[in-house]
Amino acid sequence: MWPLLMLVQTTAEPPLRIDLKPLLPEPSCDRNTGEGEIVVCGDRDDGRYRLTALPERRFEGSGRAQVRLSDRATLSAEGESAGLAGGVTVPRLMARLRIGF
């Protein structure tokens, strides 16, 4: 096996010359041949990489998501705000599990 592998390596050689063609962009505007002038070619699209504004959405209703787990149990999640000392309000998310007797 090894002699066969060594024979393959000795007979294989890289090509003598590799010609690569450079890929140049096609000109998109006329080039000026005047001396001392700079011509800038390109697309001017300022919003190409910007995200569009999201539509303003308002949620109506109680703001509560509720799922019935069984005949007697429900799970709900809702947003609230709680007041702390000094008049600071803090938003919080409450999850409530209600089980009927």
Side-chain angles (χ1 to χ4, degrees), residues 4-74:
L4 180 62
L5 181 62
M6 291 172 58
L7 181 65
V8 169
Q9 287 181 346
T10 58
T11 59
E13 61 184 44
L16 296 177
R17 183 174 176 169
I18 299 174
D19 293 328
L20 298 176
K21 295 180 186 177
L23 295 175
L24 299 176
E26 295 181 14
S28 61
C29 64
D30 297 328
R31 299 190 186 270
N32 194 351
T33 59
E35 293 183 26
E37 295 183 10
I38 298 173
V39 177
V40 178
C41 298
D43 297 332
R44 179 163 174 90
D45 185 12
D46 293 337
R48 181 176 10 179
Y49 300 112
R50 295 182 184 227
L51 296 175
T52 59
L54 295 175
E56 188 171 332
R57 296 181 183 174
R58 298 281 180 192
F59 295 103
E60 296 184 15
S62 65
R64 179 189 327 188
Q66 186 171 0
V67 176
R68 180 173 295 279
L69 300 176
S70 68
D71 292 338
R72 297 183 311 161
T74 59

